[in-house]
Amino acid sequence: NAGVTQTPKFQVLKTGQSMTLQCAQDMNHEYMSWYRQDPGMGLRLIHYSVGAGITDQGEVPNGYNVSRSTTEDFPLRLLSAAPSQTSVYFCASSFALAGEQYFGPGTRLTVT
Amino acid sequence: AQSVSQHNHHVILSEAASLELGCNYSYGGTVNLFWYVQYPGQHLQLLLKYFSGDPLVKGIKGFEAEFIKSKFSFNLRKPSVQWSDTAEYFCAALRWSNQGGKLIFGQGTELSVKP
């Protein structure tokens, strides 16, 4: 199993550009989520999904969209990038909501 | 308001010292609690979790945590730290909701262990 994979690993955007961060898992996990990690702020939940076709907002959803058309994939879309979105983004999945989260390697995003 | 609070931002210890990292959560009801660790350059990985039953939970690598419901706390402990425990530690709480639930993390505590 590859586990949780994320692409790209690094990305630089200009303010106002849009892009999609990809996340995929091959463990048949129902629960997937996106976090951003900023110094001194820990991990903050952006969006999550409890299964294909079901998504919900986390703590900091503004400026981000998600969809879950398949069990395996959970892309995160930045609609119009802002410098405040400079961060490291982690995708995670788990078999059950209360189960162990498996984290991807992260995407380091810089918005200039 | 932060639902999960970790009081120590950076802790520096010498090898063999005892460790206790504080974690408090700010809501009632059913709660599931976790500690995750992120070693330098690596993914987050689960150290231990509490769902119900014995409030003293043992995890990997000699770590344990105690759930004290009256204090809304879930502190992480290790009797004797090693240099290899240098990492960032995150407490997390699962908040159940009608839509399922949200796993909320604390701010993290960076632990530096001096050899």
Side-chain angles (χ1 to χ4, degrees), chain A residues 4 31 35 37 40-43 45 48 50 54 56-59 90 97-101 103-105, chain B residues 2 32 34 36 38 43-44 46 49 51 88 90 94 96-97 99-108:
Chain A
V4 179
Y31 186 81
Y35 291 88
Q37 184 177 22
M41 304 290 288
L43 281 83
L45 181 64
Y48 69 101
V50 298
I54 307 169
D56 200 2
Q57 295 181 350
E59 303 171 275
F90 288 99
L97 187 56
E100 177 178 357
Q101 298 290 316
F103 285 84
Chain B
Q2 187 78 19
N32 302 124
F34 306 79
Y36 281 83
Q38 186 177 30
H43 306 180
L44 276 84
L46 181 67
K49 59 186 177 184
F51 284 176
E88 191 158 16
F90 295 92
L94 178 60
W96 293 92
S97 69
Q99 292 77 27
K102 302 178 183 181
L103 185 64
I104 305 299
F105 283 80
Q107 305 95 321

Short mmCIF file of all heavy atoms in Angstrom, two decimals, chain A residues 4 31 35 37 40-43 45 48 50 54 56-59 90 97-101 103-105, chain B residues 2 32 34 36 38 43-44 46 49 51 88 90 94 96-97 99-108:
data_model
loop_
_atom_site.label_atom_id
_atom_site.label_comp_id
_atom_site.label_asym_id
_atom_site.label_seq_id
_atom_site.Cartn_x
_atom_site.Cartn_y
_atom_site.Cartn_z
N VAL A 4 -1.19 7.27 2.19
CA VAL A 4 -1.77 8.55 1.78
C VAL A 4 -0.71 9.30 0.96
O VAL A 4 0.40 9.52 1.44
CB VAL A 4 -2.19 9.40 2.99
CG1 VAL A 4 -2.76 10.74 2.53
CG2 VAL A 4 -3.18 8.65 3.85
N TYR A 31 -13.06 8.05 6.00
CA TYR A 31 -12.87 9.39 6.55
C TYR A 31 -11.59 10.01 6.00
O TYR A 31 -10.52 9.42 6.10
CB TYR A 31 -12.80 9.31 8.07
CG TYR A 31 -12.76 10.65 8.77
CD1 TYR A 31 -13.92 11.38 8.99
CD2 TYR A 31 -11.56 11.17 9.23
CE1 TYR A 31 -13.88 12.59 9.64
CE2 TYR A 31 -11.51 12.39 9.88
CZ TYR A 31 -12.68 13.09 10.08
OH TYR A 31 -12.64 14.30 10.72
N TYR A 35 -5.75 19.43 6.64
CA TYR A 35 -5.29 20.32 7.69
C TYR A 35 -4.24 21.26 7.10
O TYR A 35 -3.54 20.93 6.15
CB TYR A 35 -4.63 19.54 8.83
CG TYR A 35 -5.59 18.70 9.65
CD1 TYR A 35 -5.88 17.39 9.28
CD2 TYR A 35 -6.18 19.21 10.79
CE1 TYR A 35 -6.74 16.63 10.03
CE2 TYR A 35 -7.04 18.44 11.55
CZ TYR A 35 -7.32 17.15 11.16
OH TYR A 35 -8.17 16.39 11.90
N GLN A 37 -0.85 23.42 8.62
CA GLN A 37 0.02 23.52 9.78
C GLN A 37 0.81 24.81 9.69
O GLN A 37 1.56 25.03 8.73
CB GLN A 37 0.98 22.33 9.87
CG GLN A 37 1.84 22.35 11.13
CD GLN A 37 2.73 21.12 11.23
OE1 GLN A 37 3.05 20.47 10.23
NE2 GLN A 37 3.16 20.81 12.44
N GLY A 40 3.18 27.65 15.66
CA GLY A 40 2.46 28.15 16.82
C GLY A 40 0.96 27.95 16.78
O GLY A 40 0.26 28.29 17.75
N MET A 41 0.45 27.44 15.67
CA MET A 41 -1.00 27.25 15.53
C MET A 41 -1.39 25.78 15.51
O MET A 41 -2.58 25.45 15.52
CB MET A 41 -1.49 27.91 14.23
CG MET A 41 -1.15 29.37 14.10
SD MET A 41 -2.09 30.39 15.24
CE MET A 41 -3.71 30.32 14.50
N GLY A 42 -0.43 24.91 15.45
CA GLY A 42 -0.74 23.48 15.37
C GLY A 42 -1.34 23.13 14.03
O GLY A 42 -1.06 23.77 13.02
N LEU A 43 -2.18 22.12 14.02
CA LEU A 43 -2.89 21.73 12.80
C LEU A 43 -4.33 22.21 12.92
O LEU A 43 -5.00 21.97 13.92
CB LEU A 43 -2.90 20.20 12.63
CG LEU A 43 -1.64 19.57 12.09
CD1 LEU A 43 -0.63 19.35 13.19
CD2 LEU A 43 -1.95 18.26 11.40
N LEU A 45 -8.10 22.19 11.10
CA LEU A 45 -8.91 21.43 10.17
C LEU A 45 -9.58 22.37 9.16
O LEU A 45 -10.26 23.32 9.54
CB LEU A 45 -9.97 20.65 10.95
CG LEU A 45 -10.92 19.77 10.16
CD1 LEU A 45 -10.18 18.64 9.46
CD2 LEU A 45 -11.99 19.19 11.10
N TYR A 48 -13.44 18.21 5.87
CA TYR A 48 -13.34 16.77 6.04
C TYR A 48 -14.49 16.08 5.33
O TYR A 48 -15.48 16.73 4.93
CB TYR A 48 -13.29 16.39 7.52
CG TYR A 48 -14.58 16.62 8.28
CD1 TYR A 48 -15.45 15.57 8.55
CD2 TYR A 48 -14.90 17.89 8.76
CE1 TYR A 48 -16.62 15.78 9.26
CE2 TYR A 48 -16.07 18.10 9.47
CZ TYR A 48 -16.92 17.05 9.71
OH TYR A 48 -18.08 17.26 10.42
N VAL A 50 -16.77 12.23 5.42
CA VAL A 50 -17.02 10.94 6.07
C VAL A 50 -17.35 9.86 5.05
O VAL A 50 -17.67 8.73 5.44
CB VAL A 50 -18.13 11.06 7.14
CG1 VAL A 50 -17.71 12.02 8.24
CG2 VAL A 50 -19.44 11.49 6.52
N ILE A 54 -19.92 13.15 0.61
CA ILE A 54 -20.25 13.84 1.86
C ILE A 54 -19.04 14.63 2.34
O ILE A 54 -17.97 14.05 2.60
CB ILE A 54 -20.65 12.86 2.96
CG1 ILE A 54 -21.76 11.93 2.48
CG2 ILE A 54 -21.08 13.61 4.22
CD1 ILE A 54 -22.03 10.77 3.42
N ASP A 56 -17.82 18.31 4.78
CA ASP A 56 -18.26 19.31 5.75
C ASP A 56 -17.08 20.22 6.07
O ASP A 56 -15.91 19.86 5.85
CB ASP A 56 -18.79 18.65 7.02
CG ASP A 56 -19.67 19.59 7.83
OD1 ASP A 56 -19.91 20.74 7.39
OD2 ASP A 56 -20.11 19.19 8.92
N GLN A 57 -17.41 21.39 6.61
CA GLN A 57 -16.39 22.37 6.93
C GLN A 57 -15.71 22.07 8.25
O GLN A 57 -16.33 21.56 9.18
CB GLN A 57 -17.02 23.77 6.99
CG GLN A 57 -17.58 24.24 5.66
CD GLN A 57 -18.17 25.62 5.75
OE1 GLN A 57 -18.34 26.17 6.84
NE2 GLN A 57 -18.48 26.21 4.62
N GLY A 58 -14.44 22.45 8.32
CA GLY A 58 -13.71 22.34 9.57
C GLY A 58 -13.62 23.69 10.25
O GLY A 58 -14.55 24.48 10.22
N GLU A 59 -12.47 23.96 10.85
CA GLU A 59 -12.28 25.21 11.60
C GLU A 59 -11.98 26.41 10.72
O GLU A 59 -12.37 27.54 11.03
CB GLU A 59 -11.10 25.05 12.56
CG GLU A 59 -11.20 23.91 13.56
CD GLU A 59 -9.87 23.73 14.28
OE1 GLU A 59 -9.00 23.02 13.73
OE2 GLU A 59 -9.71 24.28 15.38
N PHE A 90 -1.62 19.19 5.06
CA PHE A 90 -1.60 17.75 5.26
C PHE A 90 -2.97 17.17 5.00
O PHE A 90 -3.99 17.69 5.45
CB PHE A 90 -1.18 17.40 6.70
CG PHE A 90 0.26 17.64 6.99
CD1 PHE A 90 0.65 18.79 7.65
CD2 PHE A 90 1.21 16.71 6.62
CE1 PHE A 90 1.99 19.02 7.93
CE2 PHE A 90 2.56 16.94 6.89
CZ PHE A 90 2.94 18.09 7.55
N LEU A 97 -14.06 7.24 11.93
CA LEU A 97 -13.91 8.61 12.42
C LEU A 97 -13.04 8.66 13.66
O LEU A 97 -12.20 9.55 13.83
CB LEU A 97 -15.28 9.19 12.69
CG LEU A 97 -15.33 10.67 13.06
CD1 LEU A 97 -14.68 11.50 11.97
CD2 LEU A 97 -16.77 11.10 13.26
N ALA A 98 -13.19 7.71 14.54
CA ALA A 98 -12.44 7.70 15.79
C ALA A 98 -11.18 6.85 15.69
O ALA A 98 -10.56 6.56 16.71
CB ALA A 98 -13.33 7.19 16.92
N GLY A 99 -10.81 6.48 14.51
CA GLY A 99 -9.64 5.64 14.35
C GLY A 99 -8.36 6.44 14.16
O GLY A 99 -8.37 7.67 14.12
N GLU A 100 -7.27 5.73 14.05
CA GLU A 100 -5.97 6.35 13.84
C GLU A 100 -5.95 7.06 12.49
O GLU A 100 -6.33 6.49 11.47
CB GLU A 100 -4.87 5.31 13.88
CG GLU A 100 -3.49 5.86 13.59
CD GLU A 100 -2.40 4.82 13.68
OE1 GLU A 100 -2.72 3.67 14.03
OE2 GLU A 100 -1.23 5.16 13.42
N GLN A 101 -5.51 8.31 12.51
CA GLN A 101 -5.37 9.08 11.28
C GLN A 101 -4.02 8.75 10.64
O GLN A 101 -2.99 8.73 11.31
CB GLN A 101 -5.40 10.58 11.59
CG GLN A 101 -6.69 11.07 12.21
CD GLN A 101 -7.84 11.05 11.22
OE1 GLN A 101 -7.70 11.46 10.09
NE2 GLN A 101 -8.99 10.56 11.66
N PHE A 103 -1.43 10.17 7.97
CA PHE A 103 -1.14 11.45 7.34
C PHE A 103 -0.27 11.27 6.10
O PHE A 103 0.60 10.41 6.04
CB PHE A 103 -0.43 12.39 8.31
CG PHE A 103 -1.35 12.97 9.34
CD1 PHE A 103 -1.65 12.27 10.49
CD2 PHE A 103 -1.92 14.21 9.15
CE1 PHE A 103 -2.52 12.80 11.46
CE2 PHE A 103 -2.78 14.77 10.10
CZ PHE A 103 -3.08 14.05 11.25
N GLY A 104 -0.52 12.14 5.12
CA GLY A 104 0.33 12.22 3.96
C GLY A 104 1.59 13.00 4.28
O GLY A 104 1.75 13.54 5.37
N PRO A 105 2.52 13.10 3.30
CA PRO A 105 3.80 13.77 3.53
C PRO A 105 3.72 15.29 3.53
O PRO A 105 4.68 15.95 3.93
CB PRO A 105 4.66 13.28 2.37
CG PRO A 105 3.68 12.97 1.29
CD PRO A 105 2.44 12.47 1.98
N GLN B 2 -9.95 28.28 21.00
CA GLN B 2 -9.28 27.01 20.77
C GLN B 2 -9.94 25.94 21.61
O GLN B 2 -10.11 26.08 22.81
CB GLN B 2 -7.80 27.17 21.16
CG GLN B 2 -6.95 25.98 20.82
CD GLN B 2 -6.59 25.93 19.33
OE1 GLN B 2 -6.67 26.93 18.65
NE2 GLN B 2 -6.19 24.78 18.86
N ASN B 32 -13.24 11.75 22.52
CA ASN B 32 -12.15 10.83 22.27
C ASN B 32 -10.87 11.64 22.13
O ASN B 32 -10.87 12.66 21.45
CB ASN B 32 -12.40 10.01 21.00
CG ASN B 32 -13.69 9.23 21.07
OD1 ASN B 32 -14.56 9.35 20.22
ND2 ASN B 32 -13.83 8.42 22.10
N PHE B 34 -6.48 11.99 21.74
CA PHE B 34 -5.33 11.41 21.06
C PHE B 34 -4.07 12.24 21.34
O PHE B 34 -4.14 13.43 21.58
CB PHE B 34 -5.53 11.41 19.53
CG PHE B 34 -6.81 10.77 19.06
CD1 PHE B 34 -8.01 11.45 19.13
CD2 PHE B 34 -6.81 9.49 18.53
CE1 PHE B 34 -9.20 10.87 18.69
CE2 PHE B 34 -7.98 8.90 18.07
CZ PHE B 34 -9.17 9.59 18.16
N TYR B 36 -0.49 12.70 19.10
CA TYR B 36 0.28 12.40 17.90
C TYR B 36 1.68 12.99 18.06
O TYR B 36 1.86 13.99 18.76
CB TYR B 36 -0.38 12.99 16.65
CG TYR B 36 -1.54 12.19 16.12
CD1 TYR B 36 -2.81 12.32 16.67
CD2 TYR B 36 -1.36 11.28 15.08
CE1 TYR B 36 -3.88 11.58 16.18
CE2 TYR B 36 -2.42 10.54 14.59
CZ TYR B 36 -3.67 10.69 15.15
OH TYR B 36 -4.73 9.95 14.67
N GLN B 38 5.27 14.17 15.76
CA GLN B 38 5.86 14.44 14.45
C GLN B 38 7.37 14.57 14.64
O GLN B 38 7.87 15.59 15.15
CB GLN B 38 5.28 15.71 13.85
CG GLN B 38 5.75 15.98 12.43
CD GLN B 38 5.09 17.22 11.83
OE1 GLN B 38 4.74 18.17 12.53
NE2 GLN B 38 4.92 17.23 10.52
N HIS B 43 6.09 12.19 8.93
CA HIS B 43 4.66 12.37 9.05
C HIS B 43 4.26 12.37 10.52
O HIS B 43 4.99 11.88 11.38
CB HIS B 43 3.90 11.20 8.40
CG HIS B 43 4.27 10.93 7.00
ND1 HIS B 43 3.69 9.92 6.27
CD2 HIS B 43 5.13 11.52 6.16
CE1 HIS B 43 4.20 9.90 5.06
NE2 HIS B 43 5.08 10.86 4.97
N LEU B 44 3.08 12.87 10.79
CA LEU B 44 2.49 12.69 12.12
C LEU B 44 2.14 11.21 12.29
O LEU B 44 1.67 10.55 11.37
CB LEU B 44 1.21 13.50 12.27
CG LEU B 44 1.36 14.94 12.67
CD1 LEU B 44 1.63 15.79 11.45
CD2 LEU B 44 0.12 15.43 13.40
N LEU B 46 0.49 8.28 15.35
CA LEU B 46 -0.26 8.16 16.58
C LEU B 46 0.61 7.59 17.70
O LEU B 46 1.29 6.58 17.52
CB LEU B 46 -1.46 7.23 16.35
CG LEU B 46 -2.38 7.02 17.53
CD1 LEU B 46 -3.10 8.31 17.89
CD2 LEU B 46 -3.39 5.92 17.22
N LYS B 49 -4.25 6.73 22.32
CA LYS B 49 -5.60 7.29 22.22
C LYS B 49 -6.44 6.81 23.40
O LYS B 49 -6.19 5.75 23.97
CB LYS B 49 -6.26 6.87 20.91
CG LYS B 49 -6.37 5.37 20.72
CD LYS B 49 -6.89 5.03 19.34
CE LYS B 49 -6.94 3.52 19.14
NZ LYS B 49 -7.36 3.14 17.77
N PHE B 51 -10.50 6.22 24.41
CA PHE B 51 -11.91 6.19 24.00
C PHE B 51 -12.82 6.07 25.21
O PHE B 51 -13.77 6.80 25.36
CB PHE B 51 -12.17 5.01 23.05
CG PHE B 51 -11.67 5.25 21.66
CD1 PHE B 51 -11.74 4.27 20.70
CD2 PHE B 51 -11.13 6.48 21.30
CE1 PHE B 51 -11.28 4.50 19.40
CE2 PHE B 51 -10.65 6.71 20.01
CZ PHE B 51 -10.74 5.72 19.07
N GLU B 88 7.85 17.13 17.73
CA GLU B 88 6.72 17.97 18.12
C GLU B 88 5.54 17.06 18.45
O GLU B 88 5.25 16.11 17.74
CB GLU B 88 6.35 18.95 17.00
CG GLU B 88 5.35 20.01 17.46
CD GLU B 88 5.36 21.26 16.59
OE1 GLU B 88 5.89 21.22 15.47
OE2 GLU B 88 4.80 22.28 17.05
N PHE B 90 1.47 16.64 19.49
CA PHE B 90 0.16 17.26 19.32
C PHE B 90 -0.91 16.47 20.05
O PHE B 90 -1.04 15.25 19.87
CB PHE B 90 -0.23 17.31 17.83
CG PHE B 90 0.66 18.19 17.00
CD1 PHE B 90 1.77 17.67 16.35
CD2 PHE B 90 0.39 19.54 16.86
CE1 PHE B 90 2.59 18.48 15.59
CE2 PHE B 90 1.20 20.35 16.09
CZ PHE B 90 2.30 19.82 15.45
N LEU B 94 -11.56 14.49 19.42
CA LEU B 94 -12.59 14.25 18.42
C LEU B 94 -13.91 14.77 18.94
O LEU B 94 -14.40 14.31 19.97
CB LEU B 94 -12.69 12.75 18.14
CG LEU B 94 -13.76 12.32 17.13
CD1 LEU B 94 -13.52 12.97 15.78
CD2 LEU B 94 -13.78 10.81 17.00
N TRP B 96 -17.70 15.00 18.33
CA TRP B 96 -18.77 14.36 17.57
C TRP B 96 -19.84 15.39 17.24
O TRP B 96 -20.12 16.30 18.01
CB TRP B 96 -19.37 13.21 18.37
CG TRP B 96 -18.40 12.09 18.56
CD1 TRP B 96 -17.55 11.91 19.60
CD2 TRP B 96 -18.16 11.01 17.66
NE1 TRP B 96 -16.79 10.78 19.40
CE2 TRP B 96 -17.15 10.20 18.23
CE3 TRP B 96 -18.71 10.63 16.43
CZ2 TRP B 96 -16.68 9.05 17.61
CZ3 TRP B 96 -18.24 9.48 15.81
CH2 TRP B 96 -17.23 8.71 16.41
N SER B 97 -20.44 15.25 16.05
CA SER B 97 -21.50 16.16 15.62
C SER B 97 -22.49 15.37 14.77
O SER B 97 -22.27 14.20 14.46
CB SER B 97 -20.92 17.32 14.82
OG SER B 97 -20.43 16.85 13.57
N GLN B 99 -22.95 15.75 11.74
CA GLN B 99 -22.34 15.44 10.45
C GLN B 99 -21.25 14.39 10.56
O GLN B 99 -20.61 14.04 9.57
CB GLN B 99 -21.74 16.73 9.84
CG GLN B 99 -22.76 17.76 9.40
CD GLN B 99 -23.34 18.54 10.57
OE1 GLN B 99 -22.69 18.68 11.58
NE2 GLN B 99 -24.55 19.01 10.42
N GLY B 100 -21.03 13.90 11.76
CA GLY B 100 -19.97 12.92 11.95
C GLY B 100 -19.06 13.35 13.07
O GLY B 100 -19.22 12.94 14.21
N GLY B 101 -18.09 14.16 12.75
CA GLY B 101 -17.20 14.62 13.81
C GLY B 101 -16.00 15.33 13.24
O GLY B 101 -15.68 15.20 12.05
N LYS B 102 -15.34 16.08 14.11
CA LYS B 102 -14.15 16.82 13.70
C LYS B 102 -13.03 16.50 14.66
O LYS B 102 -13.22 16.53 15.88
CB LYS B 102 -14.42 18.33 13.73
CG LYS B 102 -15.57 18.77 12.85
CD LYS B 102 -15.79 20.27 12.98
CE LYS B 102 -16.99 20.71 12.16
NZ LYS B 102 -17.22 22.17 12.25
N LEU B 103 -11.86 16.19 14.12
CA LEU B 103 -10.67 15.97 14.93
C LEU B 103 -9.92 17.28 15.03
O LEU B 103 -9.38 17.76 14.03
CB LEU B 103 -9.80 14.87 14.31
CG LEU B 103 -8.58 14.45 15.14
CD1 LEU B 103 -9.03 13.83 16.45
CD2 LEU B 103 -7.73 13.47 14.36
N ILE B 104 -9.91 17.86 16.23
CA ILE B 104 -9.32 19.17 16.46
C ILE B 104 -8.00 19.00 17.20
O ILE B 104 -7.94 18.33 18.23
CB ILE B 104 -10.27 20.06 17.27
CG1 ILE B 104 -11.64 20.15 16.58
CG2 ILE B 104 -9.67 21.45 17.47
CD1 ILE B 104 -11.62 20.75 15.21
N PHE B 105 -6.95 19.65 16.68
CA PHE B 105 -5.63 19.56 17.26
C PHE B 105 -5.30 20.78 18.12
O PHE B 105 -5.80 21.89 17.88
CB PHE B 105 -4.57 19.44 16.17
CG PHE B 105 -4.47 18.08 15.55
CD1 PHE B 105 -5.37 17.68 14.57
CD2 PHE B 105 -3.50 17.19 15.95
CE1 PHE B 105 -5.30 16.41 14.00
CE2 PHE B 105 -3.41 15.92 15.38
CZ PHE B 105 -4.31 15.54 14.42
N GLY B 106 -4.43 20.58 19.09
CA GLY B 106 -3.85 21.67 19.83
C GLY B 106 -2.72 22.32 19.06
O GLY B 106 -2.40 21.94 17.93
N GLN B 107 -2.09 23.31 19.69
CA GLN B 107 -1.07 24.10 19.01
C GLN B 107 0.25 23.36 18.85
O GLN B 107 1.11 23.77 18.07
CB GLN B 107 -0.80 25.40 19.78
CG GLN B 107 -2.03 26.25 20.04
CD GLN B 107 -2.64 25.96 21.40
OE1 GLN B 107 -2.68 24.82 21.84
NE2 GLN B 107 -3.10 27.01 22.06
N GLY B 108 0.42 22.29 19.59
CA GLY B 108 1.66 21.54 19.52
C GLY B 108 2.66 21.98 20.57
O GLY B 108 2.68 23.14 21.00
#
